[in-house]
Amino acid sequence: MLIALSPNGTINSKQHVSLKNNRKKHMKKQYFKYIATLLLVIDFSACKKNVDAVSEKKAPISVGVVAVQQNNIKEYLTFNGVTQYHEKENIRSNVTGYISWMKYKIGDNIHNGQTFASVRTKEQDALKEAAKIDSSLLKFVSPITIRSNASGVFTVLNITSNDYVAEGDILATVAQPKSLVIQVNVPYEYEDAIQIGSSCEIILQNGEVLNAKVTGTLPTIDPVAQSQVFLIALPKANLPENLNVQVRTIYKEDATAMTVPEIALQTNELLSEF
């Protein structure tokens, strides 16, 4: 830097001020350079820490890859059903009198033609005294036998010994186990999905599954529920009556569907969109 001196060798005031301003500008430039350098160093250190943190952090979700496969997909319809004995026989009294003998209880088995009970009439009680005089009357004193007209299990028993019964009274009800069916109420909108002969699965409350077929239907519609009753015969199943079960049948099927594992699906809370 060249400085012009006065004739006497000194710096005048204007030159002094100019020199002072130049020094200030130079110091400001140095200061800004220092600040800029410091900021660059800090920013570089922060970036390096972030890179190190990201590199050390593991991915939160493990992602796998599976192949799309061709499978058979089935859509099922599930209905509620109840077990019923389709064939029941009532044992009726053929005379008016008193039950003199009856040994059965609910749940016992009886065969067709087997003696169910014996009935004594008022006339027979009166003949007992006359039979002591005339022995030919003894054949009319013996109680009248009532026999079962069906083979099965007693589900209803209305009498005990010494009860009075009138002619035509229902004494008991015999259910035939081989007539066990499941009654299923199917909404009429699905009448094309289930027909006589359709295969189905019977799901019991204990998790057991029985394979069966629809064997019949009732030609009436429930006026309130607008459902039709279908019957599924289970002649070999040892199930009690009035047991609630679930009946599942195939509604739609695609044997060539392209599928992925169920774990790969995501859906909303209502399971309406996948």
Side-chain angles (χ1 to χ4, degrees):
M1 182 182 296
L2 298 177
I3 300 175
L5 300 178
S6 59
N8 57 5
T10 63
I11 302 174
N12 57 32
S13 61
K14 291 182 179 181
Q15 292 174 339
H16 180 71
V17 172
S18 177
L19 181 60
K20 190 174 182 180
N21 290 335
N22 290 334
R23 289 180 178 177
K24 288 182 177 180
K25 290 180 179 180
H26 180 71
M27 291 180 64
K28 286 183 179 180
K29 289 181 179 180
Q30 295 295 328
Y31 177 75
F32 285 133
K33 288 182 180 180
Y34 174 75
I35 295 298
T37 303
L38 183 61
L39 291 176
L40 287 174
V41 172
I42 294 174
D43 185 58
F44 177 77
S45 299
C47 290
K48 186 177 180 181
K49 290 181 179 180
N50 290 336
V51 172
D52 294 339
V54 171
S55 62
E56 293 177 359
K57 188 176 181 181
K58 296 182 180 179
I61 300 176
S62 298
V63 179
V65 178
V66 294
V68 178
Q69 297 180 352
Q70 180 176 322
N71 285 316
N72 185 11
I73 290 183
K74 298 178 182 179
E75 181 179 351
Y76 291 91
L77 290 175
T78 303
F79 306 103
N80 294 323
V82 61
T83 57
Q84 295 286 338
Y85 288 116
H86 195 55
E87 297 179 7
K88 295 181 180 180
E89 296 289 342
N90 294 323
I91 300 177
R92 297 178 180 270
S93 175
N94 51 10
V95 294
T96 299
Y98 296 89
I99 301 296
S100 61
W101 177 87
M102 202 279 297
K103 66 175 183 177
Y104 295 99
K105 59 183 181 295
I106 293 178
D108 288 347
N109 293 298
I110 193 169
H111 299 286
N112 186 16
Q114 191 173 350
T115 300
F116 166 68
S118 298
V119 179
R120 71 179 190 277
T121 64
K122 293 181 180 179
E123 293 78 8
Q124 289 176 330
D125 289 341
L127 286 175
K128 284 184 179 181
E129 296 299 328
K132 294 179 181 179
I133 300 173
D134 187 357
S135 59
S136 62
L137 298 176
L138 290 174
K139 60 182 179 179
F140 299 107
V141 176
S142 300
I144 298 173
T145 300
I146 299 176
R147 300 182 184 277
S148 173
N149 54 354
S151 299
V153 181
F154 287 105
T155 57
V156 177
L157 203 59
N158 298 324
I159 59 169
T160 58
S161 295
N162 297 320
D163 282 351
Y164 175 81
V165 296
E167 184 178 357
D169 284 352
I170 296 176
L171 307 182
T173 300
V174 178
Q176 300 182 27
K178 292 184 179 180
S179 67
L180 181 68
V181 297
I182 295 178
Q183 294 187 1
V184 186
N185 294 318
V186 179
Y188 191 73
E189 61 183 298
Y190 297 116
E191 59 95 16
D192 290 336
I194 181 170
Q195 301 289 337
I196 296 178
S198 299
S199 299
C200 59
E201 294 180 344
I202 312 301
I203 304 175
L204 306 182
Q205 297 179 10
N206 60 1
E208 184 181 356
V209 178
L210 304 176
N211 295 318
K213 290 185 177 181
V214 178
T215 55
T217 182
L218 301 184
T220 57
I221 297 291
D222 188 292
V224 178
Q226 288 296 294
S227 59
Q228 187 174 8
V229 175
F230 284 84
L231 304 177
I232 302 172
L234 296 174
K236 296 182 180 180
N238 186 21
L239 299 177
E241 192 175 19
N242 299 322
L243 176 66
N244 292 326
V245 299
Q246 286 188 332
V247 179
R248 190 174 70 170
T249 183
I250 297 176
Y251 182 47
K252 296 178 182 179
E253 183 176 9
D254 188 352
T256 60
M258 305 306 294
T259 63
V260 295
E262 184 178 356
I263 194 174
L265 294 178
Q266 290 185 343
T267 182
N268 58 4
E269 295 180 354
L270 300 178
L271 300 178
S272 59
E273 295 181 357
F274 295 88

